[in-house]
Amino acid sequence: MLCALIMAGGKGERFWPLSTDEKPKQFLKLIGDRTMIQMTVARLLKLIPLERIFVVTGKRYVDLLREQLPSLPLRNIIVEPVGRNTAPCIGLSAFMINKYYENSSMIVLPSDHLIVNEEEFLKTIKAADEFIHKNEEAIVTFGMKPNRPETGYGYIKCGSKEKNIDDYKIKNVEQFVEKPNTEKAKEYLKEGNFLWNGGMFIWKCKNVLQLTKMYLAKTYEVLNEIAACRENEFEEVLEEKYPEVENISVDYGIMEKAENMYVIPCDFGWDDIGTWYSVERYRTKDEDNNVFVGDIKNIDGKNNIVVGNEKPIVVVGLSDVFVVESDDIIFVGKKEDIERIKEIKKKVVK
């Protein structure tokens, strides 16, 4: 039985000032009429019923989550009292999901990615789930075929071994690689056996727990104690014990150490909506290559990104700038400085 775990605890600082600690990017309408997390749930519902879709998030986002996903069962919201990176939150979620659906498999995915070809995406999930059903100690991750020397993503180096499920090739993972510089990214693209790491993977819940026990023994011990407590004590024990888990990502804590790692080369139109440049890629542009969201008046402006809130914004004679209006601030800058937003935020927000 396949369940889904959506990770929705990130802050999305590269979308400041629209994305804030109080309302991060997964709860914003960045590339359409629905928020990123609403889009993520909607595409999964074509394959997995809502009662088997779980969301793990921080305490401060529970109300937002319930507001945007009112039909999601309350038990399916898994709450981290404090942020401790992805390995502990996935381990906690595996304990919870395994309690409701014993011997289930679990697809783990971010809440803020774009999938263009949803039909192909769901077929790929079904193939990966079938592989996991036949190979219960395996982990299958999704690797995106690169079309540019991207420096903003991690990479997966494919090995030479290959298996087939339906029409899909499943390759062994030789190595996970950190975000490269431009020259290295060009080498990866030329070599042809590197894929973008999409941060999505499928495994058996019991395998998650076994690997957590093997590689993150302290975290497993804490999570096991939380999961074993009585239902009426759960929230109190979670608050008390969860801060004791290790602060480590699932990539470092488990993936880079585990055997039986596989990857499916994918081509379903994936994008990590990580900066304003990614919004520019998918929003409608006018004849001067401007992206305008809101009530925007433009005179002789080209190649701009302008995101309004409540007030009209007039742009005259400016090119290659971005303007973002939030409830608290209006941010005006050169597009070339988009990658520096986190750095700029630190200088502005005290």
Side-chain angles (χ1 to χ4, degrees):
M1 182 177 293
L2 178 61
C3 298
L5 176 67
I6 301 170
M7 295 184 291
K11 295 181 179 179
E13 290 183 290
R14 288 183 176 86
F15 282 100
W16 182 82
L18 210 58
S19 177
T20 63
D21 290 354
E22 291 72 32
K23 193 174 185 178
K25 70 171 179 175
Q26 59 267 31
F27 301 108
L28 301 176
K29 297 176 182 178
L30 292 174
I31 56 173
D33 296 328
R34 292 178 293 182
T35 66
M36 300 303 296
I37 195 165
Q38 287 171 335
M39 293 172 66
T40 301
V41 170
R43 76 173 66 101
L44 287 172
L45 281 173
K46 298 173 184 176
L47 179 64
I48 303 170
L50 191 61
E51 60 267 23
R52 298 207 308 268
I53 296 177
F54 294 79
V55 181
V56 59
T57 192
K59 220 174 15 175
R60 69 195 304 181
Y61 304 134
V62 171
D63 288 343
L64 265 176
L65 198 60
R66 295 184 68 181
E67 176 187 320
Q68 295 194 4
L69 300 172
S71 300
L72 186 71
L74 190 58
R75 69 159 198 180
N76 290 35
I77 302 175
I78 299 168
V79 182
E80 281 189 289
V82 291
R84 284 293 183 267
N85 218 314
T86 53
C89 80
I90 291 170
L92 174 66
S93 301
F95 268 112
M96 304 291 290
I97 293 171
N98 197 54
K99 181 174 74 172
Y100 299 125
Y101 301 104
E102 193 174 354
N103 201 33
S104 59
S105 50
M106 175 174 72
I107 178 167
V108 180
L109 65 170
S111 58
D112 52 7
H113 287 182
L114 173 71
I115 306 294
V116 176
N117 188 339
E118 294 188 356
E119 182 180 350
E120 177 62 21
F121 173 65
L122 299 177
K123 285 171 63 179
T124 307
I125 292 176
K126 288 171 72 174
D129 187 40
E130 184 179 341
F131 184 83
I132 291 295
H133 184 70
K134 295 176 179 177
N135 304 271
E136 294 198 350
E137 293 185 355
I139 305 171
V140 177
T141 186
F142 292 4
M144 312 306 154
K145 296 175 184 177
N147 55 18
R148 61 183 185 272
E150 176 63 54
T151 60
Y153 305 151
Y155 284 70
I156 300 168
K157 184 178 182 181
C158 300
S160 57
K161 298 176 184 177
E162 186 174 289
K163 299 185 180 184
N164 293 300
I165 289 286
D166 298 331
D167 297 326
Y168 295 90
K169 295 178 180 179
I170 299 182
K171 298 175 177 286
N172 69 301
V173 172
E174 185 172 315
Q175 186 182 4
F176 288 95
V177 182
E178 290 301 303
K179 297 175 183 178
N181 58 33
T182 302
E183 286 304 310
K184 188 62 73 173
K186 288 178 180 177
E187 287 179 26
Y188 294 162
L189 193 63
K190 186 177 180 180
E191 287 183 33
N193 61 333
F194 285 84
L195 302 168
W196 290 335
N197 186 350
M200 296 179 280
F201 42 91
I202 296 182
W203 49 7
K204 284 284 188 180
C205 284
K206 64 182 182 182
N207 190 29
V208 183
L209 299 175
Q210 181 60 36
L211 291 170
T212 304
K213 185 176 183 179
M214 184 183 305
Y215 297 121
L216 300 170
K218 179 183 176 183
T219 292
Y220 178 85
E221 183 181 329
V222 173
L223 296 178
N224 189 45
E225 184 178 346
I226 293 169
C229 73
R230 296 175 184 174
E231 189 172 343
N232 63 343
E233 298 174 338
F234 178 79
E235 289 189 16
E236 182 181 345
V237 174
L238 179 66
E239 287 275 352
E240 179 188 347
K241 302 299 295 184
Y242 193 78
E244 298 177 13
V245 300
E246 294 151 281
N247 188 350
I248 190 168
S249 74
V250 71
D251 289 356
Y252 284 124
I254 295 177
M255 297 293 193
E256 294 184 3
K257 302 172 185 176
E259 300 176 357
N260 298 311
M261 284 292 315
Y262 297 87
V263 60
I264 298 183
C266 301
D267 191 14
F268 41 63
W270 169 90
D271 206 330
D272 174 7
I273 304 301
T275 73
W276 288 110
Y277 283 129
S278 52
V279 171
E280 183 181 42
R281 283 197 289 271
Y282 297 102
R283 282 281 186 175
T284 302
K285 301 176 184 65
D286 70 10
E287 64 275 11
D288 292 315
N289 205 41
N290 295 296
V291 173
F292 294 143
V293 180
D295 186 1
I296 315 299
K297 303 293 188 298
N298 175 59
I299 301 172
D300 299 328
K302 297 180 180 180
N303 304 316
N304 299 312
I305 304 172
V306 184
V307 180
N309 188 5
E310 295 182 351
K311 297 178 181 179
I313 297 176
V314 180
V315 180
V316 181
L318 295 177
S319 296
D320 300 303
V321 301
F322 74 105
V323 180
V324 181
E325 178 196 6
S326 71
D327 291 337
D328 305 311
I329 194 171
I330 297 174
F331 186 8
V332 182
K334 297 178 181 178
K335 280 172 64 177
E336 64 189 44
D337 289 325
I338 281 176
E339 300 291 354
R340 297 178 52 232
I341 282 182
K342 286 178 71 174
E343 172 193 337
I344 294 166
K345 179 188 174 184
K346 289 178 182 176
K347 294 179 178 180
V348 175
V349 180
K350 303 301 181 183

